[in-house]
Amino acid sequence: MNEKKINSKTCRKTLWYLAIYSRLAVLLFQYICNTIIPDHKAQGVFISPSTEYSDDSIFDRTVAHLLDGFLRWDAQYFLHIYKYGYTYENSLAFFPFYPNLLWILTYIIPGNLNTLFIISGVVVNNILFIVTTIILFDLTLTVHKNIELSLNSSILFCINPAAIFFSAPYSESLYAFTTFYGMYNVYKNNIWKSSILFGISVMTRSNGILNAGFLLYLMIHSAAKRKYKLILKTFFGVLFIFFCFSIYQIYCSYLFCIPREIKYDINVVNYALKHNLFMPNNHTIAEWCGKKLAYTYVQDKYWNVGFLRYFMLKQIPNFILAFPCIFLILNFGINYFYTNRSHIINLGKKKNDFAFIVHAVFLTVFCIFYIHIQVTTRMLASSSPVLYWTCAKYFKFPIYKSKFFLARILSDKKCSLVFFYFVLYFIFGTALFVNFYPFT
């Protein structure tokens, strides 16, 4: 037992260093790629108004020069919400906790808002990523009781295929932190803490609502064991998660369904007129008011999200991009359910990882049929530890300890495929993202 504690402590220390090195690698590599590779002229991309640095101080221009590669794709929406709030209907697709967290952290700090946003976003995300690396180790050790698997899972997390999104000002790092830490606390029966964490996750990303399933799963097994106090706690925990989801939808209705006079920055108004974006005003209300949830309407109207809508020939490259992640999880899930089919009728009562597998497989299938398929990789990488558990099982040795780990990896076909999938996506994903090439 003492030896296990020593090993766990050593593993955590090793993971701290690896997580820090991986974040520094992303920071350096994004700068190099953004400097030497010309930006792609992406069509129809949202760019928050007034994001030019030409009139700013030397410090602002230096920050822009070093970190501007992170302000791509969805980061522009988070920047806009941070600066102006929810002024456009399309911005409602991005949940409020992350941009408002950055706003709170920088509220009293004077300076250029673009600079404050990018610095706070990169710093917060990298700190959360490093902490989440340790949390994943503890979660895996709690569920699987296997220190080697736990270590390898966290090492793979450090170089995961969606690595760039955990450093850029996206909500991935915050979501992974709240989700993995919430899962960990469920297995420790810390219901109130897990409920709060899952509540934050659902105010960070819409798919956080699925985290309520872990509490429902615990509730079902608690009912079988007649643990009434635990049942009551999990019930209120589930209610709290749905309340957190609902409060944002209510806020959206307050903004867009109650006509009132609002003063806007002139640049924001001009951008809306140029791009035909709907803004809250004192004349009209949004089309979805009283009919649909704001989130589902916005996803439908602005991103064409819906059942089988992405099944088009021109999207084949994006399906190929997402295929490795989808294959790894579905292949593992099918084998898992087949091997443990006798446990399914009892909802995996004797399998600690049953709820995780169901959650990961459901999310993967949902991604295939409903969302923009290229988002699958970063969604699964930040939403489920199963991707890392699945891949870690291919490594039959502790990755960081082996002197000739690359030779050992190459000696096994499956192991080498998984390893190079992670590394290549880490490298090319970063290069594509920072230059506005599709990798989202």
Side-chain angles (χ1 to χ4, degrees):
M1 189 71 178
N2 187 48
E3 181 68 18
K4 184 179 178 180
K5 287 183 179 179
I6 294 172
N7 288 338
S8 297
K9 197 174 291 185
T10 302
C11 288
R12 289 186 185 91
K13 184 177 179 181
T14 300
L15 289 171
W16 275 111
Y17 287 117
L18 288 175
I20 292 171
Y21 293 150
S22 75
R23 293 307 90 195
L24 291 174
V26 172
L27 287 169
L28 178 61
F29 193 60
Q30 72 81 28
Y31 170 73
I32 294 172
C33 292
N34 192 40
T35 302
I36 65 175
I37 302 174
D39 282 351
H40 171 61
K41 303 298 181 183
Q43 299 296 317
V45 176
F46 177 82
I47 303 293
S48 182
S50 303
T51 56
E52 296 298 326
Y53 294 87
S54 56
D55 298 326
D56 299 331
S57 68
I58 294 176
F59 175 74
D60 294 324
R61 291 196 294 272
T62 301
V63 170
H65 177 69
L66 294 174
L67 301 176
D68 190 57
F70 286 128
L71 283 178
R72 303 292 187 251
W73 302 107
D74 292 355
Q76 287 289 332
Y77 285 98
F78 288 118
L79 170 64
H80 187 81
I81 297 167
Y82 169 87
K83 291 171 65 176
Y84 304 114
Y86 289 94
T87 61
Y88 303 142
E89 186 179 55
N90 63 347
S91 65
L92 297 178
F94 301 88
F95 279 44
F97 197 90
Y98 176 68
N100 281 282
L101 172 65
L102 300 186
W103 184 84
I104 291 169
L105 292 174
T106 59
Y107 176 69
I108 62 172
I109 303 174
N112 181 286
L113 291 180
N114 291 356
T115 303
L116 292 174
F117 172 80
I118 190 65
I119 291 176
S120 61
V122 171
V123 169
V124 167
N125 281 16
N126 283 297
I127 290 173
L128 286 174
F129 181 89
I130 293 165
V131 174
T132 305
T133 303
I134 309 303
I135 291 171
L136 177 59
F137 173 81
D138 291 336
L139 171 63
T140 308
L141 193 59
T142 300
V143 174
H144 291 280
K145 307 294 189 296
N146 184 323
I147 197 166
E148 188 174 292
L149 178 69
S150 304
L151 177 63
N152 287 347
S153 296
S154 291
I155 291 174
L156 290 172
F157 179 69
C158 290
I159 57 169
N160 77 75
I164 182 63
F165 299 104
F166 290 88
S167 286
Y170 272 53
S171 57
E172 264 66 16
S173 282
L174 176 62
Y175 186 77
F177 167 76
T178 54
T179 297
F180 291 179
Y181 199 27
M183 292 170 175
Y184 174 78
N185 279 283
V186 168
Y187 272 74
K188 291 294 184 179
N189 285 336
N190 297 325
I191 306 304
W192 301 131
K193 187 181 287 188
S194 63
S195 300
I196 292 171
L197 288 162
F198 286 157
I200 295 173
S201 77
V202 83
M203 289 192 291
T204 302
R205 295 191 58 154
S206 61
N207 57 299
I209 198 73
L210 295 178
N211 291 332
F214 289 92
L215 292 177
L216 287 170
Y217 179 74
L218 180 59
M219 186 191 302
I220 292 170
H221 284 297
S222 299
K225 297 177 181 178
R226 298 182 180 180
K227 295 182 178 180
Y228 300 114
K229 188 175 180 180
L230 196 57
I231 294 172
L232 192 63
K233 284 183 178 180
T234 52
F235 174 74
F236 282 112
V238 171
L239 286 183
F240 177 73
I241 295 169
F242 279 91
F243 169 78
C244 290
F245 180 83
S246 300
I247 203 70
Y248 175 57
Q249 302 307 314
I250 293 170
Y251 177 68
C252 293
S253 297
Y254 167 74
L255 284 178
F256 284 82
C257 300
I258 302 176
R260 63 192 182 281
E261 191 68 41
I262 306 175
K263 292 183 179 180
Y264 296 106
D265 184 290
I266 188 63
N267 294 315
V268 174
V269 175
N270 289 338
Y271 189 90
L273 292 172
K274 181 179 179 180
H275 297 277
N276 195 29
L277 295 173
F278 181 79
M279 301 177 68
N281 58 71
N282 63 340
H283 301 297
T284 57
I285 63 173
E287 290 182 16
W288 48 267
C289 293
K291 301 174 185 176
K292 294 183 178 181
L293 290 177
Y295 178 76
T296 54
Y297 174 85
V298 168
Q299 288 283 3
D300 179 17
K301 179 180 178 180
Y302 294 97
W303 279 271
N304 194 32
V305 170
F307 183 61
L308 296 181
R309 291 188 187 178
Y310 226 58
F311 279 65
M312 297 178 286
L313 288 175
K314 66 179 182 179
Q315 299 301 341
I316 288 177
N318 287 322
F319 275 89
I320 294 173
L321 188 69
F323 176 77
C325 186
I326 292 172
F327 173 79
L328 284 166
I329 290 183
L330 290 187
N331 180 63
F332 180 76
I334 291 169
N335 289 333
Y336 178 92
F337 292 133
Y338 179 78
T339 304
N340 299 285
R341 55 192 180 278
S342 60
H343 296 288
I344 293 177
I345 195 170
N346 294 317
L347 296 179
K349 187 177 180 180
K350 296 181 180 179
K351 304 296 291 184
N352 286 340
D353 56 354
F354 180 81
F356 293 94
I357 309 301
V358 172
H359 172 260
V361 169
F362 176 84
L363 196 55
T364 304
V365 173
F366 181 83
C367 288
I368 294 171
F369 292 105
Y370 273 94
I371 72 169
H372 290 189
I373 194 67
Q374 66 266 34
V375 177
T376 302
T377 302
R378 66 180 171 95
M379 180 178 285
L380 293 172
S382 62
S383 301
S384 174
V386 172
L387 174 63
Y388 309 107
W389 296 347
T390 301
C391 296
K393 288 180 183 292
Y394 289 107
F395 295 84
K396 306 302 182 185
F397 57 92
I399 298 174
Y400 88 101
K401 274 190 173 182
S402 178
K403 292 181 180 178
F404 305 102
F405 80 95
L406 190 57
R408 296 188 67 176
I409 287 171
L410 292 173
S411 66
D412 185 286
K413 185 178 179 180
K414 291 181 179 179
C415 184
S416 60
L417 285 173
V418 168
F419 180 75
F420 285 111
Y421 160 55
F422 273 60
V423 172
L424 290 176
Y425 270 56
F426 182 100
I427 295 171
F428 289 107
T430 300
L432 291 170
F433 175 87
V434 301
N435 291 289
F436 257 129
Y437 287 93
F439 186 75
T440 58

